[in-house]
Amino acid sequence: MIEMKPGDWLVLIFSLLLIPLSWSLIDHPSAETSAIEITVADASPTTYSIKQQTQINVAGELGHSVIEIRDGKVRFTNSPCSGKVCILSGWHQHSGDHIVCLPNRVSISLLAEQDRFDGINF
Amino acid sequence: MRCLQTSLFILALVVLLAACEKQNLNRYQSFAFGTLIEIKIRSDDKALADRASASLFSDFDEMHSDWHAWEAGKLTQTSAMLATGEWFTADKAVQDIIKLSKQYSLRSNGLFNPAIGELIQAWGFQASELPRLPPTEAKIDSLLADLPAVLDIDIDGDKMRGRNPHLKLDLGAIAKGYAVSAGINKLRDQGLNHALINAGGDLCGIGNQGERPWRIGIRNPSGEGIMASIELENEECVFTSGDYERYYNHNGKRYHHIIDPRSGYPADKVTSVTVLHLDGAIADAASTALFIAGPDGWQEIAKKMGVRDVMMVDKQGRIIMSPSMHKRIKFEPAVDETSVIITDP
């Protein structure tokens, strides 16, 4: 058994105090969705904050898709495709998720500083 | 003096731990294989990750073109040759996946049947745009009268012949899984050991995200939101087949793209089936076969296909799952876990 001297105790206490201090110093990224990326075909994506209320018109390969952002969620509200699968999929809010209109080649990716999910299965 | 040494040791430890920063996450996406594909590669060698992802997208484009069920290419040429009944040398691009399809079809008691392209075409799902009308009963009956199976293909080395003139291949229930697993293998061969490939909602992962395993949310099949999540083990795929992926409504009834080869109609017993497996091709084929089998017949098929981790949501919204899947799944708070039925495969 190692005998602890007063100085050892001091070091131990100092070290324990370092733990919460170092934790608070680390930058903890948020898992909450903060932005969306809209991509048309293979062009570079455009990023929008999800903390706004707006409608975005996007020119895709078939015509204009309309994307609505509201209350931290996003959805397609209009699309020139015939199936309207993108609209029917409704609101999306989880980071790591994607909404895609394949015929119009428009995709929306939901992003967070640190994704809660790395991908969404469906 | 000892105090000082200890302090220095602890400080050095803190500095070292702080330096243990995880590798950069490189994210790529592109439309390929008829869907949106996202590749995440965790590596500090960005140039290597850039090259590898570009190479994968190119592979996916090539596979998509080779295996397209209705646009002219290697698969449609193969289907045309099979329909003649004569022996021919099959293109290398389709040989392996047809051989694999025969195995899986046998193991699924024929529920996974990629030879029913004519039936799928009759339902209108061999087109970019969704159909508006289901086929007539007479049309379905005539197709069922001589319905081909992938087992009607004889294979001798690189030669093949069909034994049913209606053979028309549609690899929609295996191609994506085969391709994504091949992609993971290619990344690993290049020394990229931490990656996730998401092909339109079906995913395969290798390694981890850094601080934790790759974490996948499973979308609620009956509406918006996430019902559960799962953390992938070192090399694993998660595939779901659902009636909400491609469908149309006619006279208040939903007609979706997963056709039961026994009845000729869309399988109607469940809403979604999720399968976990280390091989994407099996996960893909099994999720379709188990969807068709439904809540009463899935256990036998799962066992024969070597699939243990299964979750199924039936038409009443009940969640049926294998014990091994139950251990892996973490439900979201909104899900009523008392409705979960755990049953042995």
Side-chain angles (χ1 to χ4, degrees):
Chain A
M1 187 71 182
I2 300 167
E3 189 189 332
M4 296 281 276
K5 294 181 178 174
D8 294 328
W9 283 111
L10 264 177
V11 169
L12 187 66
I13 291 162
F14 172 71
S15 309
L16 289 173
L17 283 173
L18 267 180
I19 295 170
L21 181 71
S22 59
W23 182 251
S24 67
L25 288 174
I26 297 170
D27 180 26
H28 298 288
S30 167
E32 196 180 319
T33 302
S34 57
I36 60 160
E37 259 183 16
I38 298 176
T39 310
V40 181
D42 291 325
S44 295
T46 311
T47 307
Y48 298 87
S49 167
I50 203 161
K51 294 179 176 96
Q52 60 175 321
Q53 304 216 356
T54 188
Q55 285 208 336
I56 303 158
N57 265 285
V58 181
E61 294 202 345
L62 296 178
H64 281 266
S65 291
V66 181
I67 294 159
E68 181 182 13
I69 302 175
R70 181 154 45 100
D71 302 329
K73 296 187 282 188
V74 60
R75 66 172 177 175
F76 276 97
T77 55
N78 208 352
S79 173
C81 60
S82 67
K84 312 290 182 200
V85 175
C86 53
I87 299 171
L88 291 169
S89 76
W91 289 104
H92 294 249
Q93 60 180 325
H94 294 283
S95 63
D97 204 353
H98 303 277
I99 327 173
V100 183
C101 176
L102 276 178
N104 206 25
R105 289 172 75 83
V106 175
S107 72
I108 307 169
S109 302
L110 284 79
L111 309 172
E113 289 172 61
Q114 179 175 285
D115 290 339
R116 183 176 170 220
F117 301 118
D118 302 301
I120 304 291
N121 168 250
F122 53 91
Chain B
M1 186 63 190
R2 223 178 89 192
C3 242
L4 183 65
Q5 280 176 342
T6 314
S7 301
L8 285 174
F9 173 73
I10 289 169
L11 275 174
L13 201 65
V14 168
V15 169
L16 277 172
L17 283 172
C20 284
E21 204 168 314
K22 65 174 184 177
Q23 293 169 300
N24 285 325
L25 189 64
N26 306 283
R27 192 167 70 90
Y28 311 89
Q29 68 179 44
S30 178
F31 286 96
F33 233 96
T35 188
L36 179 75
I37 299 203
E38 182 185 61
I39 302 172
K40 288 180 174 175
I41 300 173
R42 193 164 67 76
S43 168
D44 285 335
D45 190 342
K46 188 176 180 307
L48 175 64
D50 288 353
R51 281 198 306 276
S53 61
S55 165
L56 286 199
F57 286 132
S58 164
D59 289 352
F60 292 147
D61 273 339
E62 196 176 331
M63 289 181 208
H64 183 226
S65 161
D66 286 347
W67 299 341
H68 208 289
W70 64 91
E71 286 178 6
K74 289 173 180 168
L75 192 71
T76 56
Q77 284 166 15
T78 304
S79 290
M81 291 304 293
L82 287 169
T84 66
E86 302 292 328
W87 283 99
F88 66 99
T89 304
D91 196 292
K92 282 200 183 314
V94 299
Q95 276 183 31
D96 285 348
I97 197 163
I98 292 175
K99 285 177 187 168
L100 209 56
S101 294
K102 281 191 71 170
Q103 280 182 37
Y104 297 167
S105 190
L106 191 65
R107 287 159 65 184
S108 70
N109 293 351
L111 296 187
F112 164 69
N113 183 358
I116 57 167
E118 282 191 356
L119 186 59
I120 296 170
Q121 187 180 33
W123 276 97
F125 290 112
Q126 284 198 346
S128 303
E129 296 296 318
L130 286 171
R132 296 178 193 280
L133 284 173
T136 62
E137 202 177 322
K139 175 73 177 169
I140 293 169
D141 287 346
S142 74
L143 289 167
L144 283 182
D146 193 16
L147 195 71
V150 74
L151 297 174
D152 293 332
I153 301 173
D154 291 330
I155 299 177
D156 182 8
D158 62 354
K159 295 202 180 320
M160 288 182 190
R161 79 163 172 194
R163 282 184 282 104
N164 185 316
H166 299 290
L167 266 167
K168 188 168 190 280
L169 294 168
D170 186 320
L171 303 174
I174 186 172
K176 226 166 32 163
Y178 185 100
V180 175
S181 263
I184 288 287
N185 290 337
K186 192 168 181 177
L187 292 176
R188 192 200 308 100
D189 291 345
Q190 293 172 79
L192 295 164
N193 295 313
H194 301 283
L196 184 72
I197 304 178
N198 181 348
D202 290 316
L203 305 100
C204 288
I206 184 173
N208 56 53
Q209 190 264 4
E211 295 163 342
R212 55 169 173 76
W214 295 111
R215 188 183 297 143
I216 312 302
I218 300 171
R219 195 179 285 167
N220 192 335
S222 61
E224 296 163 3
I226 302 298
M227 65 180 285
S229 64
I230 193 151
E231 292 191 335
L232 296 184
E233 289 177 351
N234 177 41
E235 188 172 340
E236 207 165 37
C237 301
V238 55
F239 275 64
T240 292
S241 288
D243 67 1
Y244 47 82
E245 293 174 76
R246 294 196 77 208
Y247 68 91
Y248 56 97
N249 291 308
H250 178 67
N251 287 343
K253 189 168 165 52
R254 175 182 289 199
Y255 296 98
H256 64 82
H257 72 299
I258 305 171
I259 310 296
D260 185 339
R262 299 167 300 185
S263 67
Y265 282 81
D268 63 355
K269 293 175 184 150
V270 296
T271 303
S272 74
V273 172
T274 302
V275 169
L276 265 180
H277 199 276
L278 59 88
D279 186 291
I282 294 183
D284 200 355
S287 65
T288 300
L290 300 180
F291 186 101
I292 295 167
D296 300 323
W298 70 272
Q299 290 96 334
E300 184 200 345
I301 309 293
K303 201 174 271 182
K304 282 181 79 172
M305 294 189 84
V307 169
R308 287 187 332 128
D309 302 319
V310 179
M311 178 170 72
M312 188 174 273
V313 180
D314 72 7
K315 291 284 181 188
Q316 289 74 44
R318 288 176 302 194
I319 301 167
I320 301 158
M321 61 205 307
S322 59
S324 59
M325 188 66 141
H326 186 246
K327 283 183 190 159
R328 300 284 307 278
I329 284 276
K330 188 177 173 196
F331 286 106
E332 291 290 286
V335 174
D336 174 16
E337 284 195 57
T338 57
S339 69
V340 175
I341 302 162
I342 300 163
T343 171
D344 279 315

